[in-house]
Amino acid sequence: MFAEEVFKDDFSIYGYELDSAKMGYFKGKLDDATFHNLNKKIQKISEPSYKYYNEGSITETPTIKLVIQRGGDKTCYQTDYPTDNFQNHVINFLNKICAGKTEKGEKFKTDYEFDCY
């Protein structure tokens, strides 16, 4: 997993603070329950009716960009105003994986410049 920018949950009123411990390239083996949960979340957000963004925009929040690649298929989810469900159940879940029993790894090939539009 690659996390470019992750912000601390308890940011100040003066701006968002990056959480460098949760940023970078991560490697590790997920336990079966976490892996199953991750696949369920990917299936859920892949449903055509799933709404991951709120209408409108908030310009003073960071843009969330999630690219999921399975085989040759890539799907991009990008918003600066995520729904509570997407933030709480997907983004926070991925942040926990970065902070869990994974370790920082070497850079690996990604389609980092994947265009969401």
Side-chain angles (χ1 to χ4, degrees), residues 36-98:
H36 180 69
N37 198 359
L38 175 62
N39 279 317
K40 280 177 49 179
K41 290 178 185 307
I42 291 171
Q43 288 174 347
K44 178 86 173 161
I45 66 174
S46 298
E47 294 173 5
S49 62
Y50 183 84
K51 187 156 174 134
Y52 64 94
Y53 62 92
N54 288 304
E55 297 295 331
S57 72
I58 298 177
T59 58
E60 295 185 16
T61 60
T63 298
I64 294 171
K65 179 178 177 182
L66 172 64
V67 179
I68 297 175
Q69 181 173 349
R70 293 183 126 185
D73 296 330
K74 295 179 197 134
T75 306
C76 184
Y77 304 89
Q78 182 171 322
T79 181
D80 58 356
Y81 193 16
T83 61
D84 288 341
N85 190 43
F86 188 70
Q87 179 67 49
N88 294 329
H89 298 113
V90 178
I91 301 304
N92 293 349
F93 176 77
L94 293 172
N95 286 341
K96 285 180 186 175
I97 289 175
C98 292

